[in-house]
Amino acid sequence: MDLFDSWGESLGGIWDSALNGGEQWVESWFDNEADKVTSAAPEENRVPQNQEPAKQPDGQPIYSGGLTTHTALMIGGGVIVAVLAVAVLMRGK
């Protein structure tokens, strides 16, 4: 009988250790998941929309400023139309 009592106490101790370890593991897992949710808060981790540069649909930034090809062609076309208009008006006199 004494042998069964010692085995029971040993198995009970192992069982208690496993339960305590399991509880600690589950608690740490829940804490870790809670930390992930907290750190994923957009107001804390994302750049505000008004400070973020504009982007194209594929994610490339759009650099504003400077003279682009489209703007240069429009200005050049306007200058040509203005010169032609002045030439037509001067020709009649």
Side-chain angles (χ1 to χ4, degrees):
M1 232 22 196
D2 196 29
L3 183 64
F4 289 124
D5 287 339
S6 65
W7 281 358
E9 288 180 18
S10 297
L11 288 176
I14 292 171
W15 181 255
D16 289 341
S17 295
L19 283 179
N20 287 337
E23 285 178 10
Q24 290 174 354
W25 180 81
V26 169
E27 287 176 7
S28 66
W29 182 77
F30 276 116
D31 290 341
N32 187 23
E33 292 298 314
D35 290 343
K36 284 182 187 177
V37 170
T38 304
S39 68
E43 63 273 1
E44 294 177 5
N45 293 322
R46 294 187 185 151
V47 177
Q49 194 73 17
N50 59 354
Q51 294 178 359
E52 192 172 284
K55 293 183 181 178
Q56 296 177 359
D58 63 353
Q60 294 292 332
I62 298 173
Y63 298 107
S64 60
L67 191 62
T68 62
T69 305
H70 184 66
T71 308
L73 289 174
M74 288 180 61
I75 292 172
V79 169
I80 290 173
V81 169
V83 168
L84 288 176
V86 169
V88 169
L89 288 176
M90 296 300 282
R91 185 174 161 203
K93 290 189 177 191

